[in-house]
Amino acid sequence: MLLCKINGDSYSSVTSIRIESWLSVSEQAKGRSNMTNFIGLRLPLLGAGFSSCSCSCFSKRAQIILLKKWDKGGFVKAYPRRMVLGIGASFLGMASSAFQGSKSFIASARINPGPSVNEILKNVEWPEQFPFKDEDFQRFDESSDALFYDAPRFVTHIDDPAIAALTKYYSEVFPPSNTPGVSILDMCSSWVSHFPPGYKQERVVGLGMNEEELKRNPVLTEYVVQDLNVNPKLPFEDNSFDVITNVVSVDYLTKPLDVFKEMRRILKPGGLAIMSFSNRCFWTKAISIWTSTGDADHVMIVGAYFHYAGGFEPPQAVDISPNPGRSDPMYIVYSRKLPTA
């Protein structure tokens, strides 16, 4: 048995550790085409400042896969899931075993082939109760988010092809530019929203963590600085917005049900909520259930948020990844507020 050490803490109760060496950095890059089939966390080469939480745990030249046991609906206490970063059982695996009463299983190194992302949320039979626990929303770094986001980051967190794909998607589903009475909220916003070039509405609100970033965003007509993990109450009137967007940030929400219920409240009847995400994240700030699962699982997780918040149409998923295996993947989970909600 190998001793796993993270941040100075030792974890010896790992059922199995397999290390697969990569022959070269170029071969590692070639392997990225299959990354979305792994469960775990993809880390960049040493020295990179931004990590990818996709489906495999890379150190500089090695891939570590930890196989762990599921015990009565939770991970073995000897090595808390939030401490073994990015390694865990897939949510789809939980859905097929834990929800059916199975008390144990071992997470495989690869997700078994299944439906495409576009099909994952069709005809889902959701458990009666919200299937996640408090520990699923813990993070490796529980320090103040305000401190973490204090310094502005004028960078983009997905690559150019993924940005272009998201912008194209927005151009297809947004109300036409300058439509009277239309209001849009860009939630977890920053210095760029990836809206179509020249897109304008009478009211485009950005809600984010860093004022300097929000001031720089050219599409916003107003902004609010707020930490949704401290206060998930959105400071807007009921039935205020036609569209809510959230770009690569849903994985940071520690109170997602509260936030999604607030989204429902402030959306106009029939209003559209668009959650977009990739396999990129600040992994120390992403929630445990996100860093311990893969892309397909993330679709289910966000779909669950819509479902259990109530008042939304059945959520749908779209894979808009522009160059699978060659650039960042990009996924959409969206829903509309029910007319009667």
Side-chain angles (χ1 to χ4, degrees), residues 174-175 182-186 195 199 201 203-205 241 243 245:
F174 274 9
V182 165
S183 295
I184 296 178
L185 171 63
D186 188 27
F195 288 6
Y199 188 82
Q201 293 296 353
R203 188 185 189 200
V204 180
V205 184
F241 292 95
V243 178
T245 59

Side-chain angles (χ1 to χ4, degrees), residues 12-210:
S12 59
S13 302
V14 179
T15 305
S16 171
I17 297 181
R18 184 171 78 247
I19 301 179
E20 298 176 353
S21 297
W22 290 81
L23 298 178
S24 67
V25 173
S26 62
E27 288 199 9
Q28 180 180 3
K30 291 178 183 177
R32 286 176 182 164
S33 62
N34 291 324
M35 279 184 175
T36 57
N37 292 326
F38 283 88
I39 296 173
L41 175 67
R42 174 162 64 89
L43 299 180
L45 296 180
L46 296 181
F50 190 75
S51 72
S52 304
C53 60
S54 161
C55 319
S56 164
C57 188
F58 287 91
S59 61
K60 187 174 183 180
R61 299 284 293 258
Q63 177 192 50
I64 301 177
I65 301 173
L66 285 72
L67 305 181
K68 304 188 297 180
K69 286 190 176 182
W70 182 263
D71 181 31
K72 297 182 180 180
F75 283 84
V76 179
K77 292 181 180 179
Y79 50 102
R81 175 174 51 193
R82 74 184 185 92
M83 297 302 291
V84 186
L85 286 179
I87 310 298
S90 75
F91 176 73
L92 295 181
M94 295 181 207
S96 63
S97 58
F99 293 161
Q100 296 175 10
S102 173
K103 293 184 178 180
S104 67
F105 72 94
I106 297 177
S108 62
R110 292 179 184 268
I111 299 174
N112 292 328
S116 69
V117 166
N118 295 11
E119 301 294 320
I120 288 174
L121 291 177
K122 293 184 178 180
N123 303 314
V124 177
E125 294 184 9
W126 298 101
E128 184 176 345
Q129 301 295 324
F130 189 56
F132 305 114
K133 300 180 178 181
D134 289 345
E135 70 183 50
D136 293 324
F137 304 105
Q138 293 177 332
R139 302 164 301 170
F140 182 74
D141 179 4
E142 293 288 5
S143 65
S144 169
D145 291 337
L147 180 63
F148 184 82
Y149 293 103
D150 182 59
R153 294 178 175 91
F154 296 110
V155 297
T156 54
H157 301 312
I158 47 178
D159 63 19
D160 289 343
I163 291 172
L166 179 60
T167 299
K168 181 177 182 292
Y169 179 82
Y170 282 162
S171 71
E172 295 168 351
V173 301
F174 274 9
S177 189
N178 293 310
T179 300
V182 165
S183 295
I184 296 178
L185 171 63
D186 188 27
M187 194 169 65
C188 304
S189 186
S190 66
W191 70 283
V192 60
S193 296
H194 308 308
F195 288 6
Y199 188 82
K200 294 182 179 180
Q201 293 296 353
E202 180 179 322
R203 188 185 189 200
V204 180
V205 184
L207 185 148
M209 290 289 294
N210 186 279

